[in-house]
Amino acid sequence: MKQGTGKTALVTGAGSGIGQELAKLFAQDGFNLVLVDHNEEPLHRLAEVFESNYGTETVTVINKDLAREDVAIELYEEVKAKGITVNILVNNAGISTYGKFATETNWEREKEVVHLNVLTTTLLTKLFLNDMVARNEGRILQLASMVSITPFPLMAVYAATKAYVWSLTQSLRNELKDTNVTVTALMPNATATNFFREADAPKLNVEGMLDDPAMVARDGYKALMKGEAKVVPGGLANKAQEVMAYLSPQEALAGMMRWLLTPKHESDRSDDKTPNWAIGLGVVAAAVAGYALVSAYNNLGPVDKMRYRYKAKSLGNSANNALSSVADSVLGAYHNGKAKVEEALA
Ligand SMILES: NC(=O)c1ccc[n+]([C@@H]2O[C@H](COP(=O)([O-])OP(=O)(O)OC[C@H]3O[C@@H](n4cnc5c(N)ncnc54)[C@H](OP(=O)(O)O)[C@@H]3O)[C@@H](O)[C@H]2O)c1
């Protein structure tokens, strides 16, 4: 018997991208599904595929614009009225705008971003979590992001909503620790979905380094099923970037993330002739250095930890200086950072 037999997973934003890949994993594992999106057509196609390929017993399609006021209550009541018990909730649907907050982005659209990413996510979590706690059974996967823990200039409101999701999730974990209910934050790096086009962004630098949505979903699914607090999908580079986000000064991070969201055509004709590989190298070098620092830190005694903290701070300052003038100091930062890591590890 498959682990999902007789259980139901509800996935919001299941019509494309990471949500669609997650829905497929649930179907393969024998779960019944409630698929929610504001565009019904792809959901019906998915339902047919799941029923014929994986023998899914029940796929319920619900068409909802989740950026509307109080839509979470409507969705919850509709699911209850159909007599469905939701064992797993995936708060996946999420959107962004693109541009400078003060002068370029549209407030009406930004309100939708906050509504969907924050209010709907929070209320759906509250309503379904209440039932899960009453049954002492259930799991929730929250789509946070790598930008939950970094600034993201040109997607400022989006990043703030994802910081909220991350914070909410970690607090709820503590409140739920004496129950069999778990909440997990999935923190993908930039992923190859419709996300950037839906945000009306032009072709961006970040689009040369996108992760595979199927990989993101697989890592998220595993963490969800194990009831883990969070998962950064992908390999060492993504995990190192997470560590770097905790260690680096915010200004340096903001500079790096701003470059990622800079339109590609602007970088191509910029007077700054820094090759992309040099920036990439600096970012990776800094990230790996950060990862090495934390790994070593975890193995130290309390006195060495104090000594180490001082060294990590000085490495952070070096990284800050280097990244803020990345054009001419990337390689210098690499050697400087590497030397400091070696010194700290000695
Ligand atoms: N892609 C990335 O780089 C990335 C990185 C980290 C985190 N994430 C998060 O991952 C989640 C999934 O995004 P994705 O990358 O898979 O993007 P996506 O391909 O655009 O998928 C988003 C899904 O949500 C649906 N949706 C959008 N607005 C909706 C609304 N008002 N009501 C109901 N459904 C709505 C979309 O439907 P339509 O297609 O019909 O519009 C789509 O099916 C989001 O929470 C996003 O913030 C993405």
PDB file of all heavy atoms in Angstrom, residues 56-79:
ATOM      1  N   THR A  56      -5.026   7.535  -9.456  1.00  0.00           N
ATOM      2  CA  THR A  56      -5.533   8.388  -8.371  1.00  0.00           C
ATOM      3  C   THR A  56      -7.052   8.257  -8.280  1.00  0.00           C
ATOM      4  O   THR A  56      -7.759   8.368  -9.286  1.00  0.00           O
ATOM      5  CB  THR A  56      -5.146   9.871  -8.620  1.00  0.00           C
ATOM      6  OG1 THR A  56      -3.751   9.922  -8.882  1.00  0.00           O
ATOM      7  CG2 THR A  56      -5.478  10.741  -7.429  1.00  0.00           C
ATOM      8  N   GLU A  57      -7.533   8.010  -7.046  1.00  0.00           N
ATOM      9  CA  GLU A  57      -8.975   7.754  -6.886  1.00  0.00           C
ATOM     10  C   GLU A  57      -9.802   9.015  -7.084  1.00  0.00           C
ATOM     11  O   GLU A  57     -10.758   9.055  -7.840  1.00  0.00           O
ATOM     12  CB  GLU A  57      -9.245   7.205  -5.477  1.00  0.00           C
ATOM     13  CG  GLU A  57      -9.155   5.691  -5.418  1.00  0.00           C
ATOM     14  CD  GLU A  57      -9.329   5.187  -4.003  1.00  0.00           C
ATOM     15  OE1 GLU A  57     -10.040   5.841  -3.218  1.00  0.00           O
ATOM     16  OE2 GLU A  57      -8.728   4.150  -3.691  1.00  0.00           O
ATOM     17  N   THR A  58      -9.423  10.077  -6.359  1.00  0.00           N
ATOM     18  CA  THR A  58     -10.226  11.300  -6.423  1.00  0.00           C
ATOM     19  C   THR A  58      -9.340  12.516  -6.614  1.00  0.00           C
ATOM     20  O   THR A  58      -8.426  12.763  -5.815  1.00  0.00           O
ATOM     21  CB  THR A  58     -10.993  11.509  -5.092  1.00  0.00           C
ATOM     22  OG1 THR A  58     -11.569  10.275  -4.714  1.00  0.00           O
ATOM     23  CG2 THR A  58     -12.066  12.565  -5.212  1.00  0.00           C
ATOM     24  N   VAL A  59      -9.622  13.267  -7.663  1.00  0.00           N
ATOM     25  CA  VAL A  59      -8.973  14.572  -7.833  1.00  0.00           C
ATOM     26  C   VAL A  59     -10.082  15.621  -7.882  1.00  0.00           C
ATOM     27  O   VAL A  59     -10.926  15.606  -8.774  1.00  0.00           O
ATOM     28  CB  VAL A  59      -8.123  14.644  -9.123  1.00  0.00           C
ATOM     29  CG1 VAL A  59      -7.427  16.005  -9.220  1.00  0.00           C
ATOM     30  CG2 VAL A  59      -7.099  13.512  -9.172  1.00  0.00           C
ATOM     31  N   THR A  60     -10.084  16.496  -6.898  1.00  0.00           N
ATOM     32  CA  THR A  60     -11.108  17.546  -6.844  1.00  0.00           C
ATOM     33  C   THR A  60     -10.482  18.847  -7.339  1.00  0.00           C
ATOM     34  O   THR A  60      -9.440  19.281  -6.823  1.00  0.00           O
ATOM     35  CB  THR A  60     -11.602  17.735  -5.388  1.00  0.00           C
ATOM     36  OG1 THR A  60     -12.018  16.463  -4.900  1.00  0.00           O
ATOM     37  CG2 THR A  60     -12.729  18.739  -5.303  1.00  0.00           C
ATOM     38  N   VAL A  61     -11.105  19.438  -8.347  1.00  0.00           N
ATOM     39  CA  VAL A  61     -10.579  20.676  -8.933  1.00  0.00           C
ATOM     40  C   VAL A  61     -11.374  21.869  -8.395  1.00  0.00           C
ATOM     41  O   VAL A  61     -12.607  21.863  -8.449  1.00  0.00           O
ATOM     42  CB  VAL A  61     -10.680  20.599 -10.473  1.00  0.00           C
ATOM     43  CG1 VAL A  61     -10.493  21.966 -11.112  1.00  0.00           C
ATOM     44  CG2 VAL A  61      -9.663  19.593 -11.008  1.00  0.00           C
ATOM     45  N   ILE A  62     -10.669  22.843  -7.847  1.00  0.00           N
ATOM     46  CA  ILE A  62     -11.368  24.042  -7.346  1.00  0.00           C
ATOM     47  C   ILE A  62     -10.744  25.285  -7.969  1.00  0.00           C
ATOM     48  O   ILE A  62      -9.542  25.517  -7.855  1.00  0.00           O
ATOM     49  CB  ILE A  62     -11.319  24.120  -5.799  1.00  0.00           C
ATOM     50  CG1 ILE A  62     -12.015  22.895  -5.193  1.00  0.00           C
ATOM     51  CG2 ILE A  62     -11.967  25.418  -5.312  1.00  0.00           C
ATOM     52  CD1 ILE A  62     -12.114  22.893  -3.676  1.00  0.00           C
ATOM     53  N   ASN A  63     -11.621  26.058  -8.609  1.00  0.00           N
ATOM     54  CA  ASN A  63     -11.185  27.264  -9.295  1.00  0.00           C
ATOM     55  C   ASN A  63     -11.373  28.457  -8.350  1.00  0.00           C
ATOM     56  O   ASN A  63     -12.503  28.801  -8.008  1.00  0.00           O
ATOM     57  CB  ASN A  63     -12.063  27.418 -10.549  1.00  0.00           C
ATOM     58  CG  ASN A  63     -11.695  28.620 -11.361  1.00  0.00           C
ATOM     59  OD1 ASN A  63     -10.870  29.440 -10.954  1.00  0.00           O
ATOM     60  ND2 ASN A  63     -12.304  28.732 -12.531  1.00  0.00           N
ATOM     61  N   LYS A  64     -10.260  29.083  -7.916  1.00  0.00           N
ATOM     62  CA  LYS A  64     -10.390  30.214  -6.985  1.00  0.00           C
ATOM     63  C   LYS A  64      -9.287  31.223  -7.247  1.00  0.00           C
ATOM     64  O   LYS A  64      -8.120  30.846  -7.427  1.00  0.00           O
ATOM     65  CB  LYS A  64     -10.186  29.743  -5.530  1.00  0.00           C
ATOM     66  CG  LYS A  64     -11.319  28.991  -4.944  1.00  0.00           C
ATOM     67  CD  LYS A  64     -12.131  29.867  -3.982  1.00  0.00           C
ATOM     68  CE  LYS A  64     -13.309  29.098  -3.445  1.00  0.00           C
ATOM     69  NZ  LYS A  64     -14.507  29.161  -4.265  1.00  0.00           N
ATOM     70  N   ASP A  65      -9.633  32.484  -7.189  1.00  0.00           N
ATOM     71  CA  ASP A  65      -8.611  33.525  -7.170  1.00  0.00           C
ATOM     72  C   ASP A  65      -8.215  33.729  -5.710  1.00  0.00           C
ATOM     73  O   ASP A  65      -8.962  34.322  -4.924  1.00  0.00           O
ATOM     74  CB  ASP A  65      -9.179  34.817  -7.773  1.00  0.00           C
ATOM     75  CG  ASP A  65      -8.172  35.952  -7.666  1.00  0.00           C
ATOM     76  OD1 ASP A  65      -7.069  35.739  -7.121  1.00  0.00           O
ATOM     77  OD2 ASP A  65      -8.503  37.067  -8.137  1.00  0.00           O
ATOM     78  N   LEU A  66      -7.073  33.229  -5.357  1.00  0.00           N
ATOM     79  CA  LEU A  66      -6.665  33.225  -3.939  1.00  0.00           C
ATOM     80  C   LEU A  66      -6.127  34.577  -3.464  1.00  0.00           C
ATOM     81  O   LEU A  66      -5.710  34.700  -2.316  1.00  0.00           O
ATOM     82  CB  LEU A  66      -5.621  32.130  -3.705  1.00  0.00           C
ATOM     83  CG  LEU A  66      -6.135  30.699  -3.916  1.00  0.00           C
ATOM     84  CD1 LEU A  66      -4.986  29.706  -3.879  1.00  0.00           C
ATOM     85  CD2 LEU A  66      -7.180  30.329  -2.865  1.00  0.00           C
ATOM     86  N   ALA A  67      -6.134  35.564  -4.355  1.00  0.00           N
ATOM     87  CA  ALA A  67      -5.692  36.895  -3.933  1.00  0.00           C
ATOM     88  C   ALA A  67      -6.878  37.756  -3.499  1.00  0.00           C
ATOM     89  O   ALA A  67      -6.736  38.949  -3.232  1.00  0.00           O
ATOM     90  CB  ALA A  67      -4.928  37.570  -5.065  1.00  0.00           C
ATOM     91  N   ARG A  68      -8.072  37.167  -3.429  1.00  0.00           N
ATOM     92  CA  ARG A  68      -9.269  37.926  -3.035  1.00  0.00           C
ATOM     93  C   ARG A  68      -9.475  37.908  -1.530  1.00  0.00           C
ATOM     94  O   ARG A  68      -9.061  36.973  -0.839  1.00  0.00           O
ATOM     95  CB  ARG A  68     -10.511  37.312  -3.693  1.00  0.00           C
ATOM     96  CG  ARG A  68     -10.773  37.796  -5.094  1.00  0.00           C
ATOM     97  CD  ARG A  68     -12.179  37.428  -5.537  1.00  0.00           C
ATOM     98  NE  ARG A  68     -12.455  36.011  -5.546  1.00  0.00           N
ATOM     99  CZ  ARG A  68     -13.248  35.379  -4.671  1.00  0.00           C
ATOM    100  NH1 ARG A  68     -13.838  36.043  -3.681  1.00  0.00           N
ATOM    101  NH2 ARG A  68     -13.447  34.079  -4.766  1.00  0.00           N
ATOM    102  N   GLU A  69     -10.174  38.917  -1.049  1.00  0.00           N
ATOM    103  CA  GLU A  69     -10.524  39.039   0.368  1.00  0.00           C
ATOM    104  C   GLU A  69     -11.298  37.786   0.839  1.00  0.00           C
ATOM    105  O   GLU A  69     -12.227  37.349   0.164  1.00  0.00           O
ATOM    106  CB  GLU A  69     -11.423  40.301   0.502  1.00  0.00           C
ATOM    107  CG  GLU A  69     -11.774  40.705   1.903  1.00  0.00           C
ATOM    108  CD  GLU A  69     -10.620  41.445   2.584  1.00  0.00           C
ATOM    109  OE1 GLU A  69      -9.835  42.106   1.890  1.00  0.00           O
ATOM    110  OE2 GLU A  69     -10.521  41.334   3.813  1.00  0.00           O
ATOM    111  N   ASP A  70     -10.914  37.234   1.942  1.00  0.00           N
ATOM    112  CA  ASP A  70     -11.639  36.134   2.606  1.00  0.00           C
ATOM    113  C   ASP A  70     -11.835  34.875   1.764  1.00  0.00           C
ATOM    114  O   ASP A  70     -12.675  34.025   2.086  1.00  0.00           O
ATOM    115  CB  ASP A  70     -13.021  36.605   3.103  1.00  0.00           C
ATOM    116  CG  ASP A  70     -12.853  37.540   4.286  1.00  0.00           C
ATOM    117  OD1 ASP A  70     -11.813  37.449   4.974  1.00  0.00           O
ATOM    118  OD2 ASP A  70     -13.745  38.359   4.505  1.00  0.00           O
ATOM    119  N   VAL A  71     -11.067  34.758   0.693  1.00  0.00           N
ATOM    120  CA  VAL A  71     -11.230  33.586  -0.176  1.00  0.00           C
ATOM    121  C   VAL A  71     -10.804  32.304   0.557  1.00  0.00           C
ATOM    122  O   VAL A  71     -11.305  31.212   0.264  1.00  0.00           O
ATOM    123  CB  VAL A  71     -10.443  33.790  -1.497  1.00  0.00           C
ATOM    124  CG1 VAL A  71      -8.957  33.772  -1.254  1.00  0.00           C
ATOM    125  CG2 VAL A  71     -10.822  32.751  -2.531  1.00  0.00           C
ATOM    126  N   ALA A  72      -9.932  32.443   1.544  1.00  0.00           N
ATOM    127  CA  ALA A  72      -9.471  31.254   2.279  1.00  0.00           C
ATOM    128  C   ALA A  72     -10.646  30.587   3.004  1.00  0.00           C
ATOM    129  O   ALA A  72     -10.750  29.358   3.024  1.00  0.00           O
ATOM    130  CB  ALA A  72      -8.381  31.641   3.274  1.00  0.00           C
ATOM    131  N   ILE A  73     -11.545  31.406   3.563  1.00  0.00           N
ATOM    132  CA  ILE A  73     -12.706  30.841   4.265  1.00  0.00           C
ATOM    133  C   ILE A  73     -13.606  30.106   3.265  1.00  0.00           C
ATOM    134  O   ILE A  73     -14.064  28.985   3.515  1.00  0.00           O
ATOM    135  CB  ILE A  73     -13.509  31.948   4.985  1.00  0.00           C
ATOM    136  CG1 ILE A  73     -12.645  32.576   6.079  1.00  0.00           C
ATOM    137  CG2 ILE A  73     -14.807  31.403   5.577  1.00  0.00           C
ATOM    138  CD1 ILE A  73     -13.278  33.737   6.796  1.00  0.00           C
ATOM    139  N   GLU A  74     -13.804  30.765   2.108  1.00  0.00           N
ATOM    140  CA  GLU A  74     -14.625  30.153   1.044  1.00  0.00           C
ATOM    141  C   GLU A  74     -14.060  28.785   0.650  1.00  0.00           C
ATOM    142  O   GLU A  74     -14.797  27.805   0.545  1.00  0.00           O
ATOM    143  CB  GLU A  74     -14.512  31.040  -0.200  1.00  0.00           C
ATOM    144  CG  GLU A  74     -15.756  31.647  -0.708  1.00  0.00           C
ATOM    145  CD  GLU A  74     -15.388  32.544  -1.885  1.00  0.00           C
ATOM    146  OE1 GLU A  74     -14.871  32.058  -2.900  1.00  0.00           O
ATOM    147  OE2 GLU A  74     -15.617  33.767  -1.753  1.00  0.00           O
ATOM    148  N   LEU A  75     -12.749  28.737   0.439  1.00  0.00           N
ATOM    149  CA  LEU A  75     -12.108  27.487   0.015  1.00  0.00           C
ATOM    150  C   LEU A  75     -12.247  26.423   1.099  1.00  0.00           C
ATOM    151  O   LEU A  75     -12.615  25.268   0.817  1.00  0.00           O
ATOM    152  CB  LEU A  75     -10.622  27.750  -0.307  1.00  0.00           C
ATOM    153  CG  LEU A  75      -9.763  26.525  -0.603  1.00  0.00           C
ATOM    154  CD1 LEU A  75     -10.297  25.737  -1.791  1.00  0.00           C
ATOM    155  CD2 LEU A  75      -8.310  26.932  -0.891  1.00  0.00           C
ATOM    156  N   TYR A  76     -11.978  26.817   2.334  1.00  0.00           N
ATOM    157  CA  TYR A  76     -12.066  25.873   3.458  1.00  0.00           C
ATOM    158  C   TYR A  76     -13.488  25.297   3.554  1.00  0.00           C
ATOM    159  O   TYR A  76     -13.675  24.083   3.677  1.00  0.00           O
ATOM    160  CB  TYR A  76     -11.674  26.602   4.748  1.00  0.00           C
ATOM    161  CG  TYR A  76     -11.877  25.802   6.002  1.00  0.00           C
ATOM    162  CD1 TYR A  76     -10.983  24.797   6.372  1.00  0.00           C
ATOM    163  CD2 TYR A  76     -12.977  26.051   6.842  1.00  0.00           C
ATOM    164  CE1 TYR A  76     -11.164  24.053   7.524  1.00  0.00           C
ATOM    165  CE2 TYR A  76     -13.166  25.318   7.992  1.00  0.00           C
ATOM    166  CZ  TYR A  76     -12.265  24.319   8.330  1.00  0.00           C
ATOM    167  OH  TYR A  76     -12.459  23.592   9.474  1.00  0.00           O
ATOM    168  N   GLU A  77     -14.484  26.190   3.440  1.00  0.00           N
ATOM    169  CA  GLU A  77     -15.874  25.716   3.576  1.00  0.00           C
ATOM    170  C   GLU A  77     -16.286  24.818   2.413  1.00  0.00           C
ATOM    171  O   GLU A  77     -17.015  23.841   2.601  1.00  0.00           O
ATOM    172  CB  GLU A  77     -16.820  26.915   3.745  1.00  0.00           C
ATOM    173  CG  GLU A  77     -16.698  27.443   5.170  1.00  0.00           C
ATOM    174  CD  GLU A  77     -17.472  28.720   5.443  1.00  0.00           C
ATOM    175  OE1 GLU A  77     -18.035  29.292   4.496  1.00  0.00           O
ATOM    176  OE2 GLU A  77     -17.480  29.138   6.624  1.00  0.00           O
ATOM    177  N   GLU A  78     -15.791  25.139   1.236  1.00  0.00           N
ATOM    178  CA  GLU A  78     -16.101  24.309   0.059  1.00  0.00           C
ATOM    179  C   GLU A  78     -15.524  22.894   0.243  1.00  0.00           C
ATOM    180  O   GLU A  78     -16.193  21.899  -0.065  1.00  0.00           O
ATOM    181  CB  GLU A  78     -15.492  24.971  -1.180  1.00  0.00           C
ATOM    182  CG  GLU A  78     -16.192  24.571  -2.451  1.00  0.00           C
ATOM    183  CD  GLU A  78     -15.791  25.451  -3.636  1.00  0.00           C
ATOM    184  OE1 GLU A  78     -15.703  26.690  -3.480  1.00  0.00           O
ATOM    185  OE2 GLU A  78     -15.574  24.882  -4.718  1.00  0.00           O
ATOM    186  N   VAL A  79     -14.306  22.837   0.757  1.00  0.00           N
ATOM    187  CA  VAL A  79     -13.661  21.532   0.969  1.00  0.00           C
ATOM    188  C   VAL A  79     -14.423  20.745   2.038  1.00  0.00           C
ATOM    189  O   VAL A  79     -14.695  19.542   1.882  1.00  0.00           O
ATOM    190  CB  VAL A  79     -12.173  21.738   1.367  1.00  0.00           C
ATOM    191  CG1 VAL A  79     -11.539  20.449   1.837  1.00  0.00           C
ATOM    192  CG2 VAL A  79     -11.390  22.304   0.193  1.00  0.00           C
TER     193      VAL A  79
END
